[in-house]
Amino acid sequence: MRERRAIGFRLNGAPVRVVAEPGKRALDVLREACGLTAAKEGCGTGECGACAVLVDGTAKLSCLMLAAQLEGRDVTTAEGLGTPQAPHPLQAAFAAHGAVQCGYCSPGMTIAAADLLARDPAPDREAVRLGLSGNLCRCTGYVKIVDAVMAAAAVMREEKP
Ligand code: FES
Ligand code: FES
């Protein structure tokens, strides 16, 4: 068995330290050691986006990252975007626009959308489709997801001072 080591990073705004084998996947550390289960395993091979988390503000596929690669990074999972009591505008819009059916893809979708809107606060529908092209949904047909991201973008632009 490979030697375990401590890995320190920021998770949803707070410093954390976990002990893991360096070869363990970031997705597993987040779900098992940190107990945050929003990031999901869909494919495990970089094809579906269900495992997406923000790393230093950019959406990354945690199934393709090693736990050791989290060292010193700033990680945000969907739990860190918002809470049921205070949802992020994207989370509120996904609920309001019927963009969530089984919900398996939703955390990864909102993470990818958060990354997109940080880079492009006023995307057109095509830009949203492109921004979410790495995230698969087996339920919704994507139209309501794009509707939700467009609505959230409008809310976020209004909220900006
Ligand atoms: S589980 Fe990571 S891309 Fe599908
Ligand atoms: S809502 Fe079921 S996979 Fe997207």
Side-chain angles (χ1 to χ4, degrees):
M1 188 167 146
R2 295 183 65 184
E3 195 182 329
R4 290 155 62 90
R5 56 169 271 205
I7 302 162
F9 56 101
R10 285 185 75 78
L11 179 57
N12 296 335
V16 294
R17 201 158 184 80
V18 298
V19 176
E21 292 166 43
K24 202 164 175 70
R25 301 181 309 174
L27 175 63
D28 299 322
V29 163
L30 293 172
R31 290 180 58 87
E32 295 165 14
C34 302
L36 297 181
T37 55
K40 304 278 189 286
E41 174 146 21
C43 62
T45 56
E47 304 289 334
C48 76
C51 63
V53 299
L54 294 173
V55 178
D56 295 338
T58 300
K60 298 283 185 194
L61 301 175
S62 62
C63 75
L64 297 184
M65 286 188 79
L66 297 176
Q69 292 177 291
L70 297 179
E71 177 73 48
R73 313 296 288 274
D74 193 356
V75 180
T76 304
T77 66
E79 288 98 335
L81 288 182
T83 64
Q85 293 74 29
H88 186 281
L90 280 162
Q91 294 166 329
F94 269 59
H97 288 265
V100 179
Q101 288 187 24
C102 80
Y104 202 84
C105 70
S106 307
M109 286 283 183
T110 53
I111 289 288
D115 178 346
L116 169 69
L117 296 184
R119 290 180 283 111
D120 181 1
D124 61 18
R125 296 184 70 89
E126 191 50 37
V128 173
R129 283 191 174 276
L130 199 61
L132 300 182
S133 58
N135 293 72
L136 303 183
C137 176
R138 296 176 67 104
C139 306
T140 65
Y142 301 100
V143 172
K144 291 179 176 180
I145 291 173
V146 176
D147 291 344
V149 175
M150 295 297 288
V155 168
M156 290 166 70
R157 287 196 301 274
E158 275 176 25
E159 282 178 354
K160 274 218 164 135

